[in-house]
Every structure is written in structure tokens, then in C-alpha cells.
Amino acid sequence: MMLRIGSLVVLLFVVDFGLGFNHSSPFLVEEKDALLTVPQLIRKYGYKVEEHEVVTEDGYLLTMFRIPGRKGAKEYPIFMMHSLFSSCADWVLIGRKHGLAYLLADRGYDVWMGNARGNRYSRKHRRLSTVSSQFWDFTFHEIGYYDVTALIDYVLDRTGAERLQYIGFSQGAMTSFVALSSRPEYNEKILQLHAMSPAVYMYRSGSALIRVLASLATPIRDVFTSVGKYEFLPFNEQQYYLFRWLCPAPEQKICRAIIYDVVGPNPAQLDVKMLRIFLGHFPAGASVKQVTHYAQIIKDGIFRQLDYEDPKKNHQVYGSEQVPRYNLSRVTTPVRTYYGYNDNTVVYLNVLQLESELPNVVSSYPVPDKRFSHVDFILANYVKEMLYKEIIKNVEHTERSASSK
């Protein structure tokens, strides 16, 4: 019962961002896009796409999609990493002329989009089955330490480039800091890191629901594992229809209240059609252990590895009862941050704290709209004008500067 309630709460908070709000969509998309895969979407809107399988050191098989640049490849490829419970659909859902992956490809960039272990596109392992608890025995640490580094190496090997530009959103940004602090040799492989709402520090979250779920993470974990469930919010091909049934338009005050609490309210920037498409792709899956790790950094306010809450287990895993912190001073890659003042998930003060601990922040960009929320980073009607143009300007400036040396 508790498992069902927990799942329903999370489902509800993503269901009705925009129902009953702005009905004039600026995006050149169709509602049936909700039922397409990422490569089907990319081909539909006139772009070439390649599918690549990347093997990690610990045996996971990750799927990465590539959109070759339309105007001839630039010197430095672009690698993009998605958020929690999501997939690389983050970068293409809002369609051509708006999606960040398309905008970069139009400017000649070689775009590579990663998928973390456990999501709908990365559910394979050399030895383990997804029904095995061992398959799901990972947190965001393994995503940063193994997945991000393997994906970076693969892109550089296939393109022949010495470095790449990294764009990450939320978890996708946070796991880059896991990788660079844990394996500092990768600092030399990233020309510049663009961190969109990086979920490194989350203890100031303005969301009551996030704080409550974080406090209940241990009993929720125990309920899941007691019934042999180790995956949290897996992708389901029927989820689009389920979500539309749970929260039909136009009046859903409870659903609106939940989403406002979790990400921050900005109703005018999320239209009905786009959110229905989004629900066909989100959630895309994660591990229960991964969610437990998030709960710890939300409660403790410390960016560190998983605390097993057992001194003997911690000593067995880490060689000490003390849980290792990620040493952000080892992140020497030039970093650009982007944040919203109305982001309830990653509060802007947490981003400023992160900046204060990094040795090489080259720019800090608060989105001009004071109502810009967490989900606006990938779905807002005006995200291209308010954010993506700034990211592209910085990407191009970095490219020119590096090429001229």
C-alpha cells in the first residue's frame, strides 16, 4: 500500500503542470510525439540520428544517441546529460527550432545525448538481468563515476576530439561533479561544463513534498525491497494514457498545487499539449537506492557518497566509518552555471553555494524571469529566448576561444 501511495504521489506531481493554463503552444510538435521514442522523434523532425551502445567498466550497456551537426562538425563535440527520472528526451521534446539539441546541431555541433543506467534506454548489462537486485544496486555515484566517464571516453574516441563541451541538467549536471571530483583526470577532457540547475546541494529545497518524501525515504525503501522491488518509477508504454486519466483537463487544483510545490509555480510557461507529450516520456526509471541517496543529501546538506547507516558497512565499502565527501576543489574544468530564482527543487542559494566551492567558475547566469522554475529548463514556452540563447552564446564563445589558441 505504501509503495502505491508513494508512486501515486510522484505521478500526480508531474501530471498537470499546464492543464487549464496556456492553450496556445509555441512548439512545432504533435501530441502523438508522446508515444514515439527519442530516435523516432529526431527522424520525424528531419534530423539524422545514430544509436550507439557504450559499455561501462562495471558492465552496464548504455544507449547514446547522436545528432550529427547540419553545417559541418565543429572542432569540439557536445555531450548532454539528462535529469533524474528522465532520459535524453529532455533535449528534444519541445521540437525543432526550440529543443537545445536541435539548436546546437543547426549550428554545426556534433551532439551526443547520454542515458544513465536504469532508464528506459539503458536497461542492459553484460551479466545481470533487470529482475536482479544487483542490477539496481547503484546510486548517482555510479552514474557519475562509471556512466559519465564511459560516455565521455566513447564520444572522444569516436570523434577523435581531445575535449568536448558538457551540458547537464539537474542530475546530469550533478553527476559531472561526481565524475570530475572522483576521477580528476577527466577535467582535461572537458573544454567547458555548462551546469543547468545542478542538483549538488538540495537541502534548501522550497518544496514541502520533497522534504517529506526525503524524511520517509528509509521506510519507503524498506517497503520496496521487502516486496522485491528495486526500481523506482519505471517507464511504461501506457503511462501517457494513465496520466491523462488521473488528471483530466481543465480543473485539477490538487495536481497544480503539487507541481507548484515541487518545482516552483510558473503556469503561463507550460502549455497543455507539451505537458501531455512530456508525460509519454517521463518518468523513465531510476533505482530505489538512487532515490535513497538523494534523500540523504537533501536531509544532510552534504555532497557525499551514500551513507549505509551502518558503521561496519561504511567501513567495508569506504575503509572508514566516515562517508567520503566529494572534493569540489578538484573540479578544475571551467564551469558555467545557470539557475532560476523560482526553482523549488534546486534553490538558487544552493547553486551559489556550489559556485563558492568550485575553483573555476567562469560565469553565473540567473535566468532573467524571476518566476523561472525547475521544469522550465526543458519545457518553458520561452526557454529558447530566456536560457538556450545564452547557453549557445557561451558554447560558441568557448569554441572560438579554444580554436584560436
Side-chain angles (χ1 to χ4, degrees):
M1 182 65 180
M2 197 169 177
L3 182 151
R4 292 180 181 176
I5 292 173
S7 297
L8 180 59
V9 166
V10 180
L11 294 179
L12 285 175
F13 90 70
V14 299
V15 165
D16 198 45
F17 296 105
L19 298 181
F21 301 154
N22 180 11
H23 292 271
S24 58
S25 174
F27 305 119
L28 304 174
V29 294
E30 298 178 327
E31 192 154 332
K32 62 184 179 181
D33 290 356
L35 305 176
L36 301 181
T37 64
V38 164
Q40 287 172 337
L41 279 173
I42 294 171
R43 293 188 186 99
K44 175 179 177 178
Y45 290 105
Y47 290 78
K48 294 180 180 179
V49 61
E50 299 173 4
E51 181 173 332
H52 297 258
E53 188 171 78
V54 180
V55 184
T56 68
E57 293 175 37
D58 56 347
Y60 285 82
L61 307 180
L62 312 177
T63 298
M64 185 157 48
F65 299 115
R66 178 191 195 183
I67 307 177
R70 282 188 162 186
K71 298 179 181 178
K74 302 286 187 178
E75 183 174 352
Y76 300 98
I78 305 286
F79 172 67
M80 309 178 79
M81 201 64 182
H82 61 81
S83 58
L84 176 65
F85 300 131
S86 198
S87 72
C88 67
D90 281 356
W91 311 113
V92 298
L93 277 184
I94 57 177
R96 60 188 178 88
K97 300 187 181 299
H98 293 274
L100 185 55
Y102 296 134
L103 296 174
L104 290 165
D106 287 344
R107 286 160 176 79
Y109 287 96
D110 188 6
V111 177
W112 296 76
M113 299 178 292
N115 286 287
R117 62 183 65 191
N119 84 7
R120 64 180 293 194
Y121 299 110
S122 295
R123 296 173 58 83
K124 292 192 292 184
H125 191 279
R126 280 181 162 174
R127 301 177 305 279
L128 304 173
S129 164
T130 55
V131 300
S132 165
S133 63
Q134 291 178 289
F135 182 94
W136 299 102
D137 187 21
F138 63 84
T139 77
F140 60 71
H141 174 79
E142 284 75 20
I143 293 173
Y145 192 88
Y146 293 113
D147 295 5
V148 166
T149 54
L151 293 165
I152 288 172
D153 283 340
Y154 186 91
V155 172
L156 296 180
D157 180 67
R158 288 301 299 261
T159 62
E162 294 183 355
R163 292 183 290 175
L164 52 75
Q165 295 206 54
Y166 186 118
I167 299 176
F169 169 47
S170 195
Q171 177 182 265
M174 179 257 274
T175 49
S176 71
F177 294 113
V178 172
L180 296 175
S181 61
S182 302
R183 308 179 80 166
E185 64 272 21
Y186 279 84
N187 284 281
E188 300 303 317
K189 301 184 181 187
I190 299 178
L191 180 65
Q192 196 153 99
L193 167 59
H194 303 265
M196 299 164 50
S197 189
V200 170
Y201 293 114
M202 299 179 66
Y203 66 96
R204 292 187 178 95
S205 173
S207 167
L209 181 57
I210 287 177
R211 293 195 300 270
V212 168
L213 291 177
S215 69
L216 296 175
T218 298
I220 290 174
R221 177 202 63 197
D222 293 343
V223 169
F224 270 73
T225 56
S226 69
V227 295
K229 298 293 184 181
Y230 305 95
E231 182 178 8
F232 197 77
L233 292 181
F235 172 78
N236 187 297
E237 292 183 354
Q238 301 302 313
Q239 66 192 42
Y240 165 69
Y241 303 106
L242 171 64
F243 294 158
R244 288 199 64 179
W245 174 77
L246 283 172
C247 283
E251 294 297 331
Q252 285 297 326
K253 293 181 180 180
I254 294 177
C255 292
R256 295 182 195 178
I258 293 173
I259 186 58
Y260 289 166
D261 174 76
V262 172
V263 303
N266 195 9
Q269 290 305 318
L270 290 159
D271 68 270
V272 174
K273 181 171 65 173
M274 193 63 251
L275 263 298
R276 288 176 177 166
I277 294 171
F278 176 68
L279 296 175
H281 297 265
F282 181 97
S287 77
V288 171
K289 189 176 180 181
Q290 185 178 345
V291 175
T292 302
H293 198 176
Y294 265 99
Q296 289 183 357
I297 66 170
I298 291 169
K299 290 186 294 184
D300 300 340
I302 304 172
F303 188 42
R304 61 179 179 173
Q305 294 191 45
L306 180 72
D307 184 355
Y308 285 91
E309 301 171 347
D310 178 346
K312 291 184 179 179
K313 178 67 172 179
N314 283 342
H315 194 277
Q316 177 186 345
V317 175
Y318 304 124
S320 170
E321 293 181 7
Q322 298 298 315
V323 180
R325 296 191 181 203
Y326 296 108
N327 185 355
L328 292 170
S329 68
R330 302 176 80 184
V331 181
T332 57
T333 291
V335 176
R336 295 184 185 271
T337 63
Y338 308 84
Y339 57 89
Y341 285 119
N342 191 38
D343 187 335
N344 267 7
T345 306
V346 182
V347 175
Y348 78 94
L349 291 174
N350 282 341
V351 180
L352 298 182
Q353 177 180 344
L354 168 64
E355 292 176 1
S356 72
E357 298 179 22
L358 293 171
N360 199 8
V361 176
V362 295
S363 71
S364 174
Y365 180 75
V367 178
D369 180 4
K370 303 295 185 183
R371 295 181 64 82
F372 200 82
S373 75
H374 195 67
V375 76
D376 288 341
F377 281 86
I378 56 170
L379 292 183
N381 291 345
Y382 62 1
V383 65
K384 179 174 69 173
E385 292 74 22
M386 282 285 175
L387 176 63
Y388 292 168
K389 285 185 177 180
E390 177 71 15
I391 294 175
I392 291 168
K393 180 188 74 174
N394 291 334
V395 165
E396 293 180 335
H397 173 75
T398 303
E399 176 95 17
R400 289 192 300 269
S401 298
S403 298
S404 64
K405 292 180 180 179

